[in-house]
Short mmCIF file of all heavy atoms in Angstrom, two decimals:
data_model
loop_
_atom_site.label_atom_id
_atom_site.label_comp_id
_atom_site.label_asym_id
_atom_site.label_seq_id
_atom_site.Cartn_x
_atom_site.Cartn_y
_atom_site.Cartn_z
N GLY A 103 27.26 22.14 -26.73
CA GLY A 103 25.96 22.58 -27.09
C GLY A 103 25.72 24.09 -26.86
O GLY A 103 26.43 24.80 -26.12
N THR A 104 25.04 24.60 -27.87
CA THR A 104 24.87 26.09 -27.99
C THR A 104 23.42 26.59 -27.90
O THR A 104 22.57 25.76 -28.15
CB THR A 104 25.42 26.68 -29.28
OG1 THR A 104 24.81 25.97 -30.40
CG2 THR A 104 26.93 26.26 -29.39
N ASN A 105 23.22 27.84 -27.56
CA ASN A 105 21.96 28.43 -27.40
C ASN A 105 22.21 29.79 -27.93
O ASN A 105 22.91 30.59 -27.47
CB ASN A 105 21.37 28.57 -26.05
CG ASN A 105 20.06 29.04 -25.96
OD1 ASN A 105 19.23 29.08 -27.09
ND2 ASN A 105 19.57 29.59 -24.85
N ILE A 106 21.40 30.19 -28.92
CA ILE A 106 21.74 31.45 -29.70
C ILE A 106 20.34 32.25 -29.66
O ILE A 106 19.32 31.77 -29.93
CB ILE A 106 21.95 31.29 -31.28
CG1 ILE A 106 23.23 30.32 -31.33
CG2 ILE A 106 22.45 32.55 -31.89
CD1 ILE A 106 24.56 30.77 -30.56
N ALA A 107 20.53 33.51 -29.39
CA ALA A 107 19.33 34.43 -29.33
C ALA A 107 18.76 34.56 -30.74
O ALA A 107 19.46 34.52 -31.80
CB ALA A 107 19.77 35.83 -28.76
N ASP A 108 17.39 34.67 -30.77
CA ASP A 108 16.75 34.74 -32.05
C ASP A 108 17.16 35.96 -32.76
O ASP A 108 17.23 35.87 -34.13
CB ASP A 108 15.23 34.81 -31.87
CG ASP A 108 14.65 33.52 -31.31
OD1 ASP A 108 15.27 32.44 -31.55
OD2 ASP A 108 13.59 33.49 -30.79
N SER A 109 17.43 36.98 -32.16
CA SER A 109 17.87 38.23 -32.84
C SER A 109 19.13 38.18 -33.67
O SER A 109 19.50 39.00 -34.46
CB SER A 109 18.05 39.35 -31.73
OG SER A 109 18.96 39.13 -30.81
N VAL A 110 20.05 37.12 -33.22
CA VAL A 110 21.32 37.06 -33.95
C VAL A 110 21.51 35.75 -34.53
O VAL A 110 22.45 35.42 -35.14
CB VAL A 110 22.35 37.26 -32.95
CG1 VAL A 110 22.41 38.67 -32.23
CG2 VAL A 110 22.55 36.18 -31.85
N LYS A 111 20.52 34.92 -34.42
CA LYS A 111 20.54 33.48 -35.05
C LYS A 111 20.75 33.60 -36.53
O LYS A 111 20.08 34.38 -37.20
CB LYS A 111 19.42 32.80 -34.74
CG LYS A 111 19.49 31.26 -34.95
CD LYS A 111 18.18 30.45 -34.51
CE LYS A 111 17.98 30.63 -32.92
NZ LYS A 111 17.03 29.90 -32.37
N GLY A 112 21.68 32.74 -37.12
CA GLY A 112 22.07 32.79 -38.46
C GLY A 112 23.10 33.82 -38.82
O GLY A 112 23.64 33.70 -40.02
N ARG A 113 23.49 34.71 -37.93
CA ARG A 113 24.48 35.82 -38.14
C ARG A 113 25.64 35.55 -37.18
O ARG A 113 26.77 35.75 -37.63
CB ARG A 113 23.84 37.10 -38.10
CG ARG A 113 22.64 37.49 -38.98
CD ARG A 113 22.28 38.94 -38.99
NE ARG A 113 21.71 39.26 -37.66
CZ ARG A 113 22.25 40.11 -36.87
NH1 ARG A 113 23.42 40.79 -37.13
NH2 ARG A 113 21.78 40.38 -35.55
N PHE A 114 25.37 35.05 -36.00
CA PHE A 114 26.45 34.98 -35.09
C PHE A 114 26.71 33.48 -34.77
O PHE A 114 25.77 32.65 -34.82
CB PHE A 114 26.05 35.63 -33.67
CG PHE A 114 25.97 37.16 -33.67
CD1 PHE A 114 26.04 37.86 -34.85
CD2 PHE A 114 25.80 37.85 -32.58
CE1 PHE A 114 26.00 39.29 -34.90
CE2 PHE A 114 25.85 39.17 -32.49
CZ PHE A 114 25.81 40.00 -33.58
N THR A 115 27.90 33.22 -34.47
CA THR A 115 28.33 31.88 -34.18
C THR A 115 29.33 31.90 -32.99
O THR A 115 30.22 32.64 -32.85
CB THR A 115 29.15 31.17 -35.31
OG1 THR A 115 28.31 31.19 -36.47
CG2 THR A 115 29.47 29.73 -35.00
N ILE A 116 28.95 30.97 -31.91
CA ILE A 116 29.77 30.89 -30.74
C ILE A 116 30.57 29.65 -30.81
O ILE A 116 30.14 28.58 -31.30
CB ILE A 116 28.93 30.98 -29.52
CG1 ILE A 116 29.76 31.04 -28.20
CG2 ILE A 116 27.94 29.76 -29.38
CD1 ILE A 116 29.11 31.42 -26.96
N SER A 117 31.83 29.54 -30.31
CA SER A 117 32.72 28.46 -30.24
C SER A 117 33.63 28.72 -29.11
O SER A 117 33.75 29.74 -28.62
CB SER A 117 33.41 28.29 -31.59
OG SER A 117 34.24 29.33 -31.78
N ARG A 118 34.32 27.68 -28.69
CA ARG A 118 35.22 27.72 -27.63
C ARG A 118 36.45 26.75 -27.84
O ARG A 118 36.35 25.78 -28.53
CB ARG A 118 34.60 27.38 -26.28
CG ARG A 118 34.13 25.93 -26.25
CD ARG A 118 33.32 25.71 -24.86
NE ARG A 118 34.04 25.87 -23.71
CZ ARG A 118 33.59 25.70 -22.52
NH1 ARG A 118 32.24 25.48 -22.33
NH2 ARG A 118 34.31 25.83 -21.49
N ASP A 119 37.58 27.05 -27.28
CA ASP A 119 38.73 26.29 -27.23
C ASP A 119 38.92 25.98 -25.75
O ASP A 119 39.49 26.73 -24.97
CB ASP A 119 39.91 27.16 -27.77
CG ASP A 119 41.20 26.32 -27.79
OD1 ASP A 119 41.32 25.17 -27.16
OD2 ASP A 119 42.15 26.73 -28.56
N ASN A 120 38.53 24.77 -25.46
CA ASN A 120 38.57 24.29 -24.02
C ASN A 120 39.97 24.24 -23.47
O ASN A 120 40.34 24.56 -22.27
CB ASN A 120 37.92 22.91 -23.89
CG ASN A 120 36.48 22.89 -24.06
OD1 ASN A 120 35.79 24.02 -23.74
ND2 ASN A 120 35.81 21.95 -24.55
N ALA A 121 40.98 23.85 -24.23
CA ALA A 121 42.29 23.71 -23.92
C ALA A 121 42.89 25.13 -23.43
O ALA A 121 43.81 25.17 -22.55
CB ALA A 121 43.20 23.15 -25.04
N LYS A 122 42.39 26.21 -24.14
CA LYS A 122 42.96 27.57 -23.79
C LYS A 122 41.97 28.27 -22.90
O LYS A 122 42.25 29.49 -22.64
CB LYS A 122 43.19 28.20 -25.09
CG LYS A 122 44.36 27.56 -26.04
CD LYS A 122 44.61 28.36 -27.16
CE LYS A 122 45.73 27.77 -27.97
NZ LYS A 122 45.94 28.50 -29.28
N ASN A 123 40.87 27.86 -22.59
CA ASN A 123 39.91 28.51 -21.88
C ASN A 123 39.38 29.88 -22.54
O ASN A 123 39.41 30.90 -21.92
CB ASN A 123 40.16 28.77 -20.38
CG ASN A 123 40.34 27.51 -19.66
OD1 ASN A 123 39.68 26.56 -19.76
ND2 ASN A 123 41.36 27.50 -18.55
N VAL A 124 39.15 29.70 -23.86
CA VAL A 124 38.74 30.96 -24.64
C VAL A 124 37.42 30.62 -25.36
O VAL A 124 37.18 29.55 -25.75
CB VAL A 124 39.87 31.16 -25.60
CG1 VAL A 124 39.44 32.35 -26.52
CG2 VAL A 124 41.18 31.54 -24.98
N VAL A 125 36.56 31.59 -25.43
CA VAL A 125 35.39 31.51 -26.15
C VAL A 125 35.29 32.67 -27.21
O VAL A 125 35.85 33.69 -26.90
CB VAL A 125 34.11 31.69 -25.17
CG1 VAL A 125 34.12 32.99 -24.45
CG2 VAL A 125 32.75 31.42 -26.01
N PHE A 126 34.69 32.33 -28.36
CA PHE A 126 34.76 33.20 -29.36
C PHE A 126 33.29 33.55 -29.86
O PHE A 126 32.42 32.67 -29.69
CB PHE A 126 35.52 32.63 -30.66
CG PHE A 126 36.91 32.22 -30.30
CD1 PHE A 126 37.18 30.89 -30.06
CD2 PHE A 126 37.83 33.14 -30.40
CE1 PHE A 126 38.46 30.56 -29.82
CE2 PHE A 126 39.15 32.78 -30.15
CZ PHE A 126 39.53 31.39 -30.03
N LEU A 127 33.01 34.70 -30.35
CA LEU A 127 31.83 35.09 -30.97
C LEU A 127 32.12 35.69 -32.28
O LEU A 127 32.60 36.76 -32.43
CB LEU A 127 31.05 36.08 -30.14
CG LEU A 127 29.63 36.46 -30.65
CD1 LEU A 127 28.74 35.29 -30.58
CD2 LEU A 127 29.19 37.61 -29.72
N GLN A 128 31.79 34.92 -33.34
CA GLN A 128 31.93 35.29 -34.79
C GLN A 128 30.62 36.14 -35.11
O GLN A 128 29.55 35.54 -35.11
CB GLN A 128 32.20 34.22 -35.71
CG GLN A 128 32.47 34.73 -37.13
CD GLN A 128 33.54 35.63 -37.39
OE1 GLN A 128 34.65 35.33 -36.87
NE2 GLN A 128 33.26 36.73 -38.11
N MET A 129 30.65 37.34 -35.40
CA MET A 129 29.66 38.18 -35.68
C MET A 129 29.66 38.63 -37.19
O MET A 129 30.46 39.40 -37.55
CB MET A 129 29.53 39.38 -34.80
CG MET A 129 29.48 39.09 -33.36
SD MET A 129 29.29 40.56 -32.21
CE MET A 129 30.79 41.38 -32.62
N ASN A 130 28.72 38.25 -37.94
CA ASN A 130 28.62 38.62 -39.44
C ASN A 130 27.34 39.29 -39.57
O ASN A 130 26.43 39.18 -38.90
CB ASN A 130 28.64 37.31 -40.23
CG ASN A 130 29.92 36.42 -40.08
OD1 ASN A 130 30.99 37.01 -39.95
ND2 ASN A 130 29.76 35.08 -40.24
N SER A 131 27.26 39.95 -40.91
CA SER A 131 26.14 40.74 -41.13
C SER A 131 25.61 41.62 -40.09
O SER A 131 24.40 41.65 -39.76
CB SER A 131 25.01 39.75 -41.65
OG SER A 131 25.35 39.03 -42.69
N LEU A 132 26.58 42.38 -39.50
CA LEU A 132 26.23 43.25 -38.33
C LEU A 132 25.24 44.32 -38.70
O LEU A 132 25.31 44.89 -39.82
CB LEU A 132 27.41 43.91 -37.79
CG LEU A 132 28.25 42.83 -36.95
CD1 LEU A 132 29.69 43.36 -36.73
CD2 LEU A 132 27.58 42.55 -35.61
N LYS A 133 24.31 44.72 -37.73
CA LYS A 133 23.33 45.70 -37.97
C LYS A 133 23.61 46.67 -36.96
O LYS A 133 24.14 46.54 -35.90
CB LYS A 133 21.89 45.01 -37.82
CG LYS A 133 21.64 44.03 -38.70
CD LYS A 133 20.25 43.29 -38.42
CE LYS A 133 19.97 41.97 -39.21
NZ LYS A 133 18.67 41.59 -39.02
N PRO A 134 23.01 47.94 -37.25
CA PRO A 134 23.12 49.06 -36.14
C PRO A 134 22.47 48.66 -34.84
O PRO A 134 22.91 48.96 -33.75
CB PRO A 134 22.31 50.12 -36.74
CG PRO A 134 22.56 49.99 -38.16
CD PRO A 134 22.38 48.50 -38.38
#
């Protein structure tokens, strides 16, 4: 389950690899 801040919703995606204990944040359409 995920919870995304309104300021980045639709642009950022969070995911994780449980086997490797790694979390990712894909950031698209970045703004200043």
Side-chain angles (χ1 to χ4, degrees):
T104 62
N105 185 26
I106 311 296
D108 290 339
S109 60
V110 303
K111 193 172 297 182
R113 300 186 296 118
F114 291 11
T115 302
I116 188 169
S117 61
R118 66 187 293 178
D119 184 339
N120 290 329
K122 298 181 179 180
N123 292 331
V124 176
V125 64
F126 305 97
L127 185 68
Q128 179 65 47
M129 305 184 294
N130 299 324
S131 302
L132 284 162
K133 305 175 181 179

